[in-house]
Amino acid sequence: MNEYNFAYLDEQTKRMIRRAILKALAVPGYQVPFASREMPMPYGWGTGGVQVSAATLTPDDVFKVIDQGADDTTNAVSIRKFFEKTAGVATTEETGKATIIQTRHRIPEARLRADQILVYQVPIPEPLRFLEPRETETRKMHSLQEYGLMHVKLYEDISQHGAISTAYAYPVRVADRYVMDPSPIPKFDNPKLEMDAIQLFGAGREQRIYALPPHTRVVSLDFEDYPFEASKADHACNLCGAEDSYLDEVITDDAGNRMFVCSDTDYCRSRREAGHQGRLAQEGTA
Amino acid sequence: MTPLLQVKGIEKRYGARIGCRDVSFDLYPGEVMGIVGESGSGKSTLLNCLVGHLEPDAGQVIFDTRADGPVDTVTMSEPDRRMLGRTDWAFVHQHARDGLRMSVSAGGNIGERLMAVGSRHYGQIRGQALDWLGRVEIAESRVDDRPSAFSGGMQQRLQIARNLVTGPRLVFMDEPTGGLDVSVQARLLDLLRGLVREMGLSAIIVTHDLAVVRLLADRLMVMKDGEVVEAGLTDQVLDDPQHAYTQLLVSSVLQV
């Protein structure tokens, strides 16, 4: 017998979170406050994402967790085991088989379907926070759509670096209304935010939930003369040879050698199983 | 001619205490109005009521907007009033730190108002920022420095540039020369006088420094205990003060 209620949280809490999720879906990009619970993990490890997942899971779901694209890092393994134990749901590493995917800082390379839900772990949900520390003021700015300040940040980037150097957590405008922080995903993933699946964002410490319904218009902010660019390392994956995936740079020794590998481990594995080979595939251990 | 700003019977109370009471005046385009008085005389309260930082308990502040003509800004919706604060109005704080973003470069500070009203072309924003730095006598090479690296006088000039970049028609200034040494004050006043004349600005300047109003203001209001005790042309009020308090104020200025 399982001593936990299904998916750890009690039913009243899940109900409260579901109400927040529904509101978030009704007002795309708006940060809905919710009564975030203490979870058996430290803040910063995905307490927001876990609560959203817990409220979304049903016994028939197939659950997948990725951390920076990988299925096998501490954070991903722990959260997967947590729900295996408390909800008894099936888990998978294959993006295509999962119905709910909790993610930290990446969107899977494979195109998601309408019957899937992507749950993000969010550290700081407020895109204006580092420019305007007062919550009362940022709320007012959202309600009055005063978003000039967001461009001040991009202006500073260009004046200091000659280009928009913000590479992750790149601010977006949702459905021509709210400016939203897409969580610290690389800006390479920003164009993928317009997708068929439901996207839910949970910030546990900051007690906010926000959402993108399927096919919502998401525009990355930019200047007319410095347009948005979804950038990645200018290489092919050394294991699977993919040229269209987001890459991690791995230093392999202290002689300056390095390799580039897909950050999405499932995508890389499935490509290698299909016979694709990168430059270092023979000696590759990953 | 329609006054740019009509103030009618402004009153602000803090509980039983009076902030300011029964203040009325008209300000015409291109006119500079000085408000003087000692500390606690209600001049800052009045200014904050005019600009919408405080809500007055009674009275009207009617501004002649570009689109809709004269509108009472006290009862106007908040988005409209904040929009006015970014376009046709400007507010120069006594302490430049209150009016600047200290963690953003000088260029970003000047560009903020442009971006707030929808400018999305980096080259044009930067061009305007450089132009305005020149107009307030800050070297163009400092455009990417943060205001924290600037002297007090430069910070104050930067604050003025940041406010004037959207071409406002009415500028509120709260002790713009306070806390600056006299030679820097003189330069700042010179600059302000030039900008006011060149852009045809209307301004309301709150100060306790009579030299500032002598130099800048066309008209003068003297406040004491929350009420206006004397008003008139600047030279007239300063050279021939009628009210006992004004006489005291004028005679208190140290002659060097």
Side-chain angles (χ1 to χ4, degrees), chain B residues 129-160:
Chain B
L130 289 170
D131 176 44
W132 268 98
L133 278 183
R135 289 167 81 165
V136 298
E137 299 165 17
I138 297 175
E140 289 194 356
S141 58
R142 304 296 301 268
V143 67
D144 291 331
D145 290 351
R146 293 186 175 184
S148 47
F150 286 9
S151 70
M154 282 167 79
Q155 286 182 1
Q156 197 58 283
R157 294 203 298 275
L158 179 62
Q159 192 194 179
I160 288 164

Side-chain angles (χ1 to χ4, degrees), chain B residues 63 66 84-90 110 113-114 117 128 132 135 160-171 195 199-202:
Chain B
F63 180 71
R66 286 182 217 229
L84 210 54
R86 292 199 299 269
T87 52
D88 265 356
W89 286 6
I110 298 178
R113 274 171 79 109
L114 292 170
V117 296
Q128 289 225 42
W132 268 98
R135 289 167 81 165
I160 288 164
R162 168 189 159 91
N163 273 292
L164 297 188
V165 67
T166 45
R169 291 189 295 156
L170 177 57
V171 186
L195 287 172
M199 298 175 71
L201 291 175
S202 303

Side-chain angles (χ1 to χ4, degrees), chain B residues 34 55 68 81 96 118 166 170 190 204 225 229:
Chain B
E55 195 179 336
D68 305 323
R81 191 162 56 232
T166 45
L170 177 57
D190 212 34
I204 296 177
D225 299 331
V229 294

Side-chain angles (χ1 to χ4, degrees), chain B residues 174-185:
Chain B
D174 188 7
E175 308 265 10
T177 58
L180 300 176
D181 67 56
V182 283
S183 60
V184 175
Q185 263 188 34

Side-chain angles (χ1 to χ4, degrees), chain A residues 140 146 151 156 224-225, chain B residues 82 86 105 120-123:
Chain A
K140 191 164 276 179
E146 288 182 4
H151 275 85
E156 290 287 284
E224 287 160 16
D225 46 347
Chain B
R82 282 172 73 113
R86 292 199 299 269
S105 71
R120 293 288 180 266
H121 191 284
Y122 175 82

Side-chain angles (χ1 to χ4, degrees), chain A residues 33 41 47 115 136 167 171 192 233:
Chain A
M41 60 175 70
T47 52
D115 62 343
T136 49
K192 288 192 253 172

Side-chain angles (χ1 to χ4, degrees), chain A residues 230-244:
Chain A
S231 60
K232 67 182 270 282
D234 194 13
H235 291 271
C237 174
N238 288 156
L239 295 178
C240 74
E243 290 177 355
D244 58 350

